[in-house]
Amino acid sequence: MTTTETEHPQAGAAGETLAQRASRLFISVPPEAVLLAVLLAMGGWFWNSSEVFMTTINMRNVLLSVSVLGILAAPSTLLLISGNFDLSIASNAAMCGVAVAMVADGHSTALAIFVAVIAGLLAGALNGLLVSGLGIASIIVTLGTFQAYRGIARLMANGQTIRLRGEIDFITDRIVGIPTQVVLFIIITAITMFVVRYTRFGRAVYAIGSNLVAARLAGIRQRPTVFVLFLVSGVMAALAGLILASQLDAASPNAATGDELKVVAAVILGGASLSGGRGTIIGTLLGVLILGVLQNGLTLLSVTSFWRDVATGTVLIAAVGLDRVRVMLGGQ
């Protein structure tokens, strides 16, 4: 064997070692750290580009704009971790908003809110029954109810915007100087984080998404768990519908149109896997903030809504692509 022949395998081995080291370095970096760096870099760039960006009023506007998205993204994160989707959540929110406006006209505010929450709960229960009871894929079920709930909202409102006559302004009032909807967003995020990290239910959600067969062998009841997740998603949709109606002092059957895709984008951007079993609430929170800052910053720079949509779609594709790269390299 010549010297060249003996050195070639060593060079190949060295090359493989470098590649393996690079791969290990890439997958060892926490996704949350990458997202935080992206958020800070994006914020710095917009701050440098617009003197209005870092003002107190604008930061308040960012939080207000992401509060509804964050409330919807919390249950969606749990669903995606379990390997399921709820594409109907924004349509459900619009339907609940119309319901509260219709009932509030001539009835008490408490009754209107109660009806809206029940409507959201029933919508979530229907999704849960079809998915966990009949075993239909959640993406198919919620794609159907996504259209159905939006259609029901338009039928209820006769395609028109309904003025909100009840006193539901407390949802958009302030608590210790902080808008109530932002406080609700923070509380819901904190509760979801606690459930995911420190409860048996949260561990069951991860187990179901990671390996359904192993979860069953471990005694985890998959169907009731998924059903509860859809119930929670329905209640959060109702809360989002109340906030949207209170913000505009009116309920539109077209409210939150397209927000289901923004929710999916935020959750996937936050590190959740499309195949289930992975995701964090912190990651989703950062994903929500990134989308909010991106939309706000581009608006301040007078970028048209068409290009803002392009930017959001590009971020989603980049997030999914990064997720696939991490999976191929052995990341968890």
Side-chain angles (χ1 to χ4, degrees):
M1 185 178 293
T2 63
T3 304
T4 304
E5 292 175 334
T6 58
E7 289 179 351
H8 179 72
Q10 293 176 355
E16 290 178 357
T17 301
L18 291 174
Q20 290 173 353
R21 288 178 180 176
S23 299
R24 282 196 298 269
L25 178 62
F26 175 72
I27 64 178
S28 64
V29 177
E32 293 82 1
V34 177
L35 291 173
L36 182 58
V38 170
L39 179 61
L40 293 175
M42 186 183 299
W45 187 75
F46 284 131
W47 187 10
N48 184 63
S49 303
S50 173
E51 59 183 14
V52 180
F53 179 76
M54 282 301 293
T55 61
T56 303
I57 294 177
N58 190 60
M59 289 297 99
R60 174 180 175 274
N61 290 336
V62 170
L63 290 176
L64 287 174
S65 68
V66 302
S67 58
V68 171
L69 182 62
I71 288 171
L72 296 177
S76 296
T77 302
L78 296 181
L79 278 167
L80 194 54
I81 291 173
S82 72
N84 293 280
F85 291 84
D86 186 359
L87 298 178
S88 69
I89 193 168
S91 299
N92 191 2
M95 182 177 66
C96 293
V98 171
V100 74
M102 293 181 67
V103 177
D105 187 8
H107 298 85
S108 67
T109 301
L111 178 61
I113 294 174
F114 177 76
V115 170
V117 172
I118 292 299
L121 193 64
L122 290 176
L126 177 60
N127 287 337
L129 285 173
L130 293 174
V131 174
S132 61
L134 299 182
I136 306 175
S138 61
I139 191 170
I140 301 300
V141 168
T142 58
L143 187 60
T145 54
F146 153 76
Q147 294 282 1
Y149 296 159
R150 184 70 67 178
I152 291 172
R154 288 169 178 157
L155 286 171
M156 292 168 60
N158 196 26
Q160 304 297 316
T161 298
I162 303 176
R163 183 178 178 183
L164 188 62
R165 301 183 184 278
E167 296 295 331
I168 312 182
D169 292 339
F170 69 90
I171 293 180
T172 49
D173 282 343
R174 294 170 178 266
I175 299 177
V176 197
I178 304 174
T180 304
Q181 63 194 78
V182 176
V183 175
L184 289 172
F185 166 44
I186 294 171
I187 291 174
I188 290 169
T189 301
I191 291 175
T192 309
M193 189 184 306
F194 176 82
V195 170
V196 166
R197 285 191 173 188
Y198 302 110
T199 67
R200 184 177 180 181
F201 182 83
R203 291 190 291 271
V205 171
Y206 276 102
I208 291 170
S210 298
N211 191 322
L212 183 56
V213 175
R216 287 173 177 169
L217 293 175
I220 295 174
R221 302 175 65 189
Q222 179 255 347
R223 290 185 177 182
T225 302
V226 172
F227 181 74
V228 170
L229 290 177
F230 277 106
L231 288 181
V232 174
S233 182
V235 173
M236 292 300 102
L239 178 58
L242 289 171
I243 293 174
L244 289 172
S246 184
Q247 282 179 336
L248 302 174
D249 201 26
S252 169
N254 298 316
T257 298
D259 279 5
E260 56 279 327
L261 296 182
K262 293 179 182 177
V263 168
V264 173
V267 175
I268 295 177
L269 181 61
S273 173
L274 288 171
S275 56
R278 190 175 78 239
T280 64
I281 301 301
I282 288 293
T284 296
L285 174 61
L286 291 171
V288 166
L289 291 175
I290 285 175
L291 291 181
V293 168
L294 178 64
Q295 291 293 315
N296 178 268
L298 293 178
T299 301
L300 292 178
L301 296 180
S302 300
V303 176
T304 65
S305 61
F306 308 118
W307 282 111
R308 295 201 299 271
D309 291 340
V310 171
T312 301
T314 302
V315 168
L316 176 58
I317 293 173
V320 175
L322 184 62
D323 173 69
R324 299 310 304 165
V325 171
R326 293 177 68 89
V327 169
M328 288 188 294
L329 293 177
Q332 298 298 321

